[in-house]
């Protein structure tokens, strides 16, 4: 602080008066040094209390008293005055140390702000502590203001005393002391202003922290309400499941009981029927025995007939009748005994025939009864099989319920003990090692030619160098790209081919957009507080993979396929807001820190958007899609792909090694520095020639964002082999005149006149490039109004 002190011209102790104590022997100085040493060794850590601040003020006052005491002693010795000045310098150093302590307090306040992020669960105590801290800081401010006033008064008094002694010591010493005093005063003023600035900044940060805390309180209250509603819904679901399970068990029990009763009844009926059948079988057996006896008699009779069968007996009887008739005719006079015997034989034959018919009938009845019994037994078997099936189904359902409960418990246990981000945690291990890449990027014009050849060879797609120059310049202008054109033209293919052209086919991820997306959670995923797992979406996993060490220094592309199937301003709003932040943009994943987060999740709640990521949205315009809002177009680089791919000749391209993102960014920066004049000429051309006319005739205007985009976009176009007119033509058609589309309040004559004047002006600005994009846009709008 100040100039280097000159050495004493004589011996330091030789110039003292006899009997005068040295500065080290002075009792007050000794106490001051002791107090200063104690202050140096006992400097408080953490938050300085009010008592410590009062003690510091008392120490500074003691040092000032030492200075005044030394200054009051009459002396004309220059060495004595120099020692007094050294004491004054010590006092100034103490003030500087106190200013450093205040700076440390400001640093601690900044660290306290970072701790507010973890204070959601303790918001009541934190709010009270913050209020108490603010009161302490207000008290400190008052004490420091008072201390500064006292120091200023004492400084003025010391300067008056030193002025009297400097007059005695000589003009040379007076001038030297004046310079030192002025430097000290300037340093003190600088420190005071710096402290005031820090204090204002601390107040502002405290205010912002309080607002942030209030916002977090409201978010926490909302989350608690959502959690309570979710818990209530879950309780309802569990109650419904319990009721359903109970109803199922009751229904199964009632069905089982009813089935058991039916089976028992049926078994009883079958038992009774079987008993009846047994009685019938007994009766039939008795009848069968009688029939058997009769059959025995019949067999005996047949045996008596010589073992002839019934047919033979009938035949024999016929023969006998015939013979009998003959004998009757021959022996009309035969005795009566032979006639009676023949009649008996005829009656026996008729009885045997009737018995045979009865046996056949009874046999048929027995066979019918046996068939009915078999049917009854089959029915009982079917009932038993159905009962067994129901029991097996009930057992299987119970097993499924137990398995689902086990899975649910296992999932909850995994969420409590495992990783909340399972896929991202795996990436920490899989992509934790940086991959080799080429730090040097060729000239941008060579890079465009190389991109065209590699895409043609590796992907089979053909793109004009004009389109590839625009894409390369768009990467320098914006992190959000919109590729538009008819379906099947190769919009997604171009986005994927860019990764191939830059030498890393794995540095791209395609995220299909769904028509029902309405909330950022649809894009990012969501945290299940019951399972304690964050269900990562493809977008979140791609964003995390892009910042892993294996991809951190490579250009990475996240493709939102069919981006306008839903409103990007709804599900993509968080990304749009984050991209507007230049310093470390990040996205919120959860409202409260998650246990055991992956390495790259910030504070357990946020994920960063690394600077090596570009978001590419492909868009069709038909009845299934929605239009982009103006704020999306204003922040994006827009590319209209032609309807047909150019017919390029086959060319052999050397496989491209992975380019470094830092090298590509360096190439963009060098181009912007080398060709900044071309960007300035475009800005001047628009401001001087067309800003007022477009505002009056078409009500079209632009702000600082467009100028910044021109400054980033135009130099890369020129460095890649294009011209300023090419850049101006693209920006006019996609950024400025885009709002003319669909505005039928603009008359066709106005557009026709504008077209003629604008094309002529663009040709004068750059005679090399023909403004085809601007002419095509205006021609389409004029035709849509019925003009050819």
């Amino acid at each position: 602080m100040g100039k280097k002190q000159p050495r004493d011209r004589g011996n330091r102790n030789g110039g003292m008066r006899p009997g005068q104590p040295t500065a080290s022997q002075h009792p007050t100085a000794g106490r001051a040094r002791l107090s200063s040493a104690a202050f140096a060794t006992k400097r408080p850590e953490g938050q300085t209390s009010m008592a410590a601040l009062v003690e510091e003020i008392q120490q500074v006052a003691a040092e000032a008293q030492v200075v005044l005491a030394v200054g009051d002693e009459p002396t004309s010795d220059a060495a004595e005055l120099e020692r007094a000045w050294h004491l004054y310098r010590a006092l100034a150093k103490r003030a500087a140390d106190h200013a450093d302590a205040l700076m440390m307090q400001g640093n601690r306040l900044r660290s306290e702000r970072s701790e507010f992020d973890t204070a959601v669960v303790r918001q009541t105590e934190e709010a009270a502590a913050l209020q108490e801290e603010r009161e302490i800081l207000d008290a400190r401010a008052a004490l420091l203001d008072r201390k500064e006033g006292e120091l200023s008064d004492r400084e003025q008094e010391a300067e008056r005393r030193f002025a009297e002694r400097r007059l005695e010591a000589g003009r040379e010493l007076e001038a030297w002391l004046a310079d030192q005093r002025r430097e000290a005063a300037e340093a003190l003023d600088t420190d005071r202003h710096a402290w005031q600035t820090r204090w204002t900044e601390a107040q502002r940060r405290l205010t912002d922290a309080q607002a942030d805390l209030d916002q977090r309180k409201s978010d926490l209250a909302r989350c608690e309400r959502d959690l309570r509603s979710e818990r209530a819904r879950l309780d309802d679901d569990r109650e419904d499941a319990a009721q359903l399970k109970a109803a199922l068990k009751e229904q199964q029990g009632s069905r089982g009981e009813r089935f058991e009763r039916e089976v028992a009844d049926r078994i009883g009926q079958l038992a009774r029927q079987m008993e009846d059948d047994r009685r019938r079988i007994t009766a039939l057996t008795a009848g069968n025995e009688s029939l058997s006896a009769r059959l025995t008699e019949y067999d005996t009779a047949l045996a008596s007939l010589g073992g002839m069968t019934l047919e033979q007996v009938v035949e024999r009887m016929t023969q006998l009748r015939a013979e009998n008739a003959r004998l009757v005719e021959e022996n009309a006079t035969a005795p009566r005994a032979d006639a009676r015997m023949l009649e008996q034989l005829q009656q026996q034959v008729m009885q045997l025939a009737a018995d045979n018919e009865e046996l056949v009938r009874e046999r048929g009845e027995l066979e019918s009864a046996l068939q009915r019994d078999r049917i009854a037994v089959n029915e009982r078997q079917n009932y038993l099989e159905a009962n067994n099936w129901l029991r097996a189904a009930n057992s299987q359902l119970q097993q499924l319920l137990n398995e689902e409960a086990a899975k649910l418990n296992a999932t909850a246990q995994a969420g409590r003990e495992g990783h909340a981000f399972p896929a991202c945690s795996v990436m920490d291990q899989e992509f934790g090692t940086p991959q080799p890449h080429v730090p040097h990027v060729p000239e941008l014009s060579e890079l465009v030619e190389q991109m065209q050849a590699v895409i043609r060879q590796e992907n089979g797609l053909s793109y004009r160098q004009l389109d590839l120059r625009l894409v390369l310049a768009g990467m320098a202008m914006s992190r959000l790209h919109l590729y538009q054109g008819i379906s099947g033209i190769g919009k997604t293919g171009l986005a994927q081919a860019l990764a191939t052209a830059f030498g890393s086919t794995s540095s791209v991820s395609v995220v299909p957009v769904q028509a029902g997306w309405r909330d950022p959670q649809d894009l990012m995923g969501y945290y299940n507080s019951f399972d304690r797992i964050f269900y990562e979406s493809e977008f979140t996993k791609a964003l995390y993979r892009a910042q892993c060490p294996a991809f951190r220094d490579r250009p990475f592309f996240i493709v939102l396929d069919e981006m306008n199937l839903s409103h990007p301003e709804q599900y993509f709003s968080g990304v749009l807001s984050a991209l507007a932040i230049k310093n470390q943009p990040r996205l919120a994943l959860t409202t409260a820190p998650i246990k055991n987060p992956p390495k790259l999740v910030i504070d357990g709640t946020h994920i960063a958007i690394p600077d090596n990521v570009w978001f590419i949205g492909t868009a069709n315009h038909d009845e299934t899609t929605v239009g982009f809002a103006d704020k999306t177009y204003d922040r994006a680089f827009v590319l209209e792909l032609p309807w047909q791919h150019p017919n390029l000749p086959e060319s052999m391209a050397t496989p491209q090694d992975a380019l470094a993102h830092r090298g590509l960014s360096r190439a963009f920066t060098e181009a912007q520095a080398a060709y900044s004049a071309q960007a300035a000429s475009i800005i001047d051309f628009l401001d001087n020639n067309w800003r007022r006319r477009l505002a009056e005739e078409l009500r079209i205007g632009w702000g600082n964002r467009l100028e910044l985009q021109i400054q980033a976009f135009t130099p890369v176009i020129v460095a890649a082999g294009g011209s300023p007119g090419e850049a101006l033509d693209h920006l006019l058609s996609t950024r400025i005149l885009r709002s003319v589309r669909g505005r039928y309040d603009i008359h066709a004559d106005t557009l026709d006149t504008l077209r003629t004047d604008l094309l002529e002006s663009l040709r004068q600005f750059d005679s090399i490039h023909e403004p085809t994009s601007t002419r095509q846009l205006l021609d389409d709008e004029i035709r849509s109004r019925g003009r050819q």
Side-chain angles (χ1 to χ4, degrees):
M1 179 177 174
K3 299 180 180 178
K4 185 177 180 181
Q5 300 292 335
R7 294 183 178 181
D8 294 346
R9 296 176 181 177
N11 191 353
R12 289 183 178 273
N13 297 328
M16 296 179 59
R17 291 182 301 173
Q20 180 179 357
T22 63
S24 61
Q25 296 173 348
H26 199 285
T28 310
R31 288 192 299 271
R33 288 191 181 89
L34 182 60
S35 175
S36 176
F39 170 71
T41 58
K42 296 182 180 180
R43 179 169 296 179
E45 297 180 1
Q47 209 171 17
T48 307
S49 64
M50 182 67 73
L53 186 59
V54 173
E55 183 180 354
E56 292 174 10
I57 295 173
Q58 291 175 354
Q59 291 171 359
V60 175
E63 295 292 339
Q65 289 176 2
V66 172
V67 175
L68 294 177
V70 174
D72 289 336
E73 295 177 359
T75 179
S76 60
D77 196 343
E80 191 68 13
L81 289 175
E82 185 174 358
R83 281 193 295 276
W85 176 249
H86 282 308
L87 291 175
Y88 172 74
R89 288 292 303 277
L91 176 62
K93 188 174 182 301
R94 297 295 186 275
D97 291 340
H98 186 67
D100 293 337
L102 291 177
M103 184 181 297
M104 293 175 62
Q105 292 177 6
N107 293 333
R108 285 194 294 273
L109 289 175
R110 284 191 294 272
S111 65
E112 289 174 0
R113 180 192 176 189
S114 63
E115 295 175 357
F116 284 151
D117 294 336
T118 60
V120 177
V121 295
R122 303 183 302 273
Q123 67 277 10
T124 305
E125 292 84 0
E126 292 290 338
L130 185 62
Q131 184 64 28
E132 183 180 357
E133 184 70 17
R134 178 177 294 180
E135 293 173 359
I136 292 174
L137 290 176
D138 292 337
R140 286 181 184 174
L143 287 174
L144 291 175
D145 290 337
R146 187 163 59 253
K147 174 183 173 182
E148 184 179 4
E150 292 175 359
L151 287 176
S152 178
D153 296 337
R154 290 172 182 174
E155 180 186 6
Q156 293 176 1
E157 182 66 20
E159 287 178 357
R160 185 181 62 78
R161 292 178 181 273
F162 289 144
E164 295 174 357
R165 287 167 175 75
R166 282 197 300 273
L167 289 175
E168 298 173 356
R171 292 184 179 180
E172 181 179 356
L173 183 59
E174 181 181 5
W176 179 76
L177 289 175
D179 292 340
Q180 295 297 320
R181 187 179 68 254
R182 184 173 60 255
E183 292 176 0
E186 290 176 355
L188 288 175
D189 291 339
T190 302
D191 293 340
R192 183 172 64 254
H193 290 311
W195 178 86
Q196 290 176 349
T197 303
R198 294 190 191 101
W199 172 252
T200 304
E201 182 66 18
Q203 287 282 53
R204 184 184 63 78
R205 291 178 178 177
L206 283 174
T207 304
D208 295 341
Q210 182 64 33
D212 188 24
L213 183 59
D214 294 338
Q215 180 63 30
R216 290 179 180 273
K217 286 181 182 179
S218 62
D219 293 342
L220 179 60
R222 179 175 56 79
C223 291
E224 288 179 350
R225 290 194 302 270
D226 294 341
L227 181 59
R228 285 195 296 269
S229 62
E230 187 67 20
R231 285 179 177 174
R233 185 182 62 80
L234 183 59
D235 293 338
D236 293 339
D237 292 342
R238 288 179 177 174
E239 184 177 357
D240 293 340
Q243 293 176 357
L244 181 60
K245 184 177 179 181
L248 181 60
K249 289 183 178 179
E250 183 179 358
Q251 185 177 7
Q252 290 176 351
S254 62
R255 286 183 178 178
E257 293 175 358
R258 186 170 64 253
F259 181 73
E260 291 291 342
R261 288 194 301 270
E262 292 177 356
V263 169
D265 295 340
R266 184 58 179 169
I267 290 174
Q269 293 176 2
L270 291 175
R272 289 190 297 272
Q273 187 174 359
M274 289 177 65
E275 186 67 25
D276 296 338
D277 292 339
R278 286 193 188 98
R279 288 194 295 269
R280 293 179 62 190
I281 289 173
T282 302
L284 291 174
T285 302
N288 192 16
E289 290 176 353
S290 64
L291 290 175
S292 296
R294 294 176 66 185
L295 285 174
T296 302
E297 295 176 356
Y298 175 71
D299 291 336
T300 303
L302 289 178
S304 65
L305 294 176
M308 294 185 298
T309 61
L310 184 62
E311 289 80 3
Q312 291 175 348
V313 171
V314 172
E315 183 178 358
R316 182 61 180 166
M317 288 177 65
T318 305
Q319 293 176 359
L320 289 174
R321 287 191 186 98
E323 186 177 357
N324 189 23
R326 185 179 60 81
L327 292 174
V328 169
E329 291 177 358
E330 290 179 356
N331 302 311
T333 62
R336 298 282 185 182
D338 293 337
R340 287 195 297 270
M341 183 180 296
L342 181 60
E343 184 178 359
Q344 290 176 357
L345 289 174
Q346 290 177 349
Q347 290 178 355
Q348 289 179 357
V349 170
M350 292 176 63
Q351 183 64 35
L352 288 174
D355 292 341
N356 189 22
E357 291 179 358
E358 181 66 22
L359 288 174
V360 172
R361 184 183 63 78
E362 291 180 354
R363 181 181 179 182
E365 291 179 353
L366 288 174
E367 288 180 351
S368 299
L370 182 61
Q371 186 67 25
R372 289 195 298 271
D373 292 341
R374 287 176 179 175
I375 293 173
V377 170
N378 290 333
E379 289 180 353
R380 181 176 180 276
Q381 188 66 29
N382 292 334
Y383 280 127
L384 291 175
E385 291 179 357
N387 188 22
N388 293 333
W389 181 85
L390 288 175
R391 289 179 180 177
N394 187 18
S395 176
Q396 187 176 5
L397 288 175
Q398 186 64 37
Q399 183 179 359
L400 290 175
L401 287 174
N402 295 335
E403 290 177 357
E404 290 299 325
K407 289 180 181 179
L408 194 62
N409 294 331
T411 304
Q413 185 68 18
R416 288 190 294 269
E417 298 177 357
H419 295 285
F421 294 80
C424 295
S425 299
V426 172
M427 292 182 197
D428 288 337
Q429 304 296 328
E430 185 177 358
F431 304 123
T433 303
Q435 299 296 322
H437 55 267
V438 178
H440 175 69
V441 175
E443 297 292 335
L444 295 182
S445 57
E446 298 178 4
L447 181 60
V448 169
E449 296 177 357
Q450 185 173 325
M451 289 169 60
Q452 186 183 40
V454 170
I455 293 174
R456 181 72 175 89
Q457 177 176 324
E458 298 295 332
N459 300 89
L461 300 174
S462 301
Y463 295 100
R464 300 175 300 177
Q465 290 191 9
L466 168 63
D467 296 329
L468 297 178
R469 278 197 301 269
L470 293 175
V471 169
L472 201 61
M475 293 176 63
M477 182 184 82
S478 175
R479 304 272 294 281
L480 175 61
H481 288 202
L482 300 178
Y483 294 170
Q484 301 180 149
I486 63 175
S487 179
I489 194 60
K491 301 182 290 296
T492 306
L494 174 59
Q496 294 174 318
L498 288 177
T500 304
F502 290 143
S504 177
T505 56
S506 58
S507 297
V508 60
S509 180
V510 179
V511 179
V513 175
Q514 304 299 321
W517 285 7
R518 293 292 182 271
D519 190 83
Q521 284 188 350
D522 296 328
L523 178 70
M524 301 294 298
Y526 64 94
Y527 179 71
N528 190 322
S529 58
F530 181 76
D531 295 339
R532 297 185 181 181
I533 292 178
F534 189 92
Y535 291 93
E536 305 135 304
S537 66
E538 290 298 325
F539 181 84
T540 301
K541 290 188 285 188
L543 198 60
Y544 191 88
R545 179 155 61 99
Q547 51 192 305
C548 289
F551 298 94
R552 184 65 183 87
D553 199 27
R554 293 183 179 181
F556 199 96
F557 304 95
I558 298 179
V559 183
L560 298 171
D561 197 22
E562 301 291 344
M563 186 179 186
N564 61 336
L565 278 179
S566 185
H567 289 281
E569 295 75 26
Q570 295 177 358
Y571 70 85
F572 204 62
S573 59
V575 181
L576 291 176
S577 300
L579 291 179
I581 302 174
K582 299 300 182 182
N583 187 16
Q584 297 179 350
R586 57 186 185 175
L587 299 173
L589 297 175
T590 62
T591 56
I594 294 178
K595 180 182 177 182
N596 196 16
K599 296 179 180 179
L600 301 178
V601 173
I602 304 171
D603 299 332
T605 58
H606 289 73
I607 185 172
I609 300 180
D611 54 3
N612 65 320
V613 172
W614 280 267
F615 303 98
I616 300 177
T618 64
N620 294 327
H621 294 289
D622 52 33
E623 66 279 359
T624 65
T625 60
V626 297
F628 292 107
D630 290 340
K631 67 177 183 180
T632 303
Y633 273 120
D634 291 343
R635 289 169 170 79
F637 162 75
V638 181
L639 179 65
E640 290 281 351
L641 291 177
W643 287 21
Q644 292 182 347
H645 289 285
N647 188 13
L648 299 178
E650 292 287 346
S651 62
M652 296 301 296
T654 305
Q656 175 65 50
D657 294 330
L659 297 180
H661 168 254
R662 286 177 294 179
L664 188 63
S665 299
R666 189 183 307 113
F668 290 160
T669 303
E670 292 174 355
Q672 291 163 1
Y675 300 102
S676 58
Q678 284 79 352
S681 64
I682 291 179
I683 295 174
D684 293 339
F685 172 80
L686 293 174
D687 288 342
N688 298 331
N689 299 328
W690 291 100
R691 178 185 287 271
R692 182 175 180 180
R693 180 173 175 180
L694 292 177
E696 292 177 352
E697 295 183 2
L698 306 180
R699 298 192 303 279
I700 295 176
W702 58 86
N704 295 331
R705 179 183 288 125
L706 179 60
E707 295 183 359
L708 294 176
Q709 292 173 347
I710 292 174
Q711 293 170 358
F713 181 79
T714 304
V716 178
I717 288 288
V718 178
S723 65
E726 181 180 318
L728 178 58
D729 182 27
H730 179 80
L731 293 172
L732 272 173
S733 60
T734 60
R735 287 284 284 106
I736 298 177
L737 297 178
R738 175 194 55 79
S739 59
V740 175
R741 294 184 182 275
R743 283 184 53 187
Y744 292 98
D745 58 327
I746 304 175
H747 198 271
D749 293 339
T750 303
L751 291 178
D752 195 7
T753 305
L754 176 68
R755 174 187 179 280
T756 302
D757 297 344
L758 182 57
L759 294 180
E760 180 63 26
S761 179
L762 290 175
R763 293 188 183 100
Q764 292 178 1
F765 175 78
D766 187 353
S767 59
I768 299 176
H769 178 76
E770 177 64 22
T772 55
S773 298
T774 302
R775 184 182 67 245
Q776 182 67 36
L777 184 144
L778 293 175
D779 287 346
D780 291 343
E781 290 303 309
I782 292 173
R783 280 194 298 270
S784 68
R785 290 160 175 79
R787 294 281 295 275
Q788 297 296 329

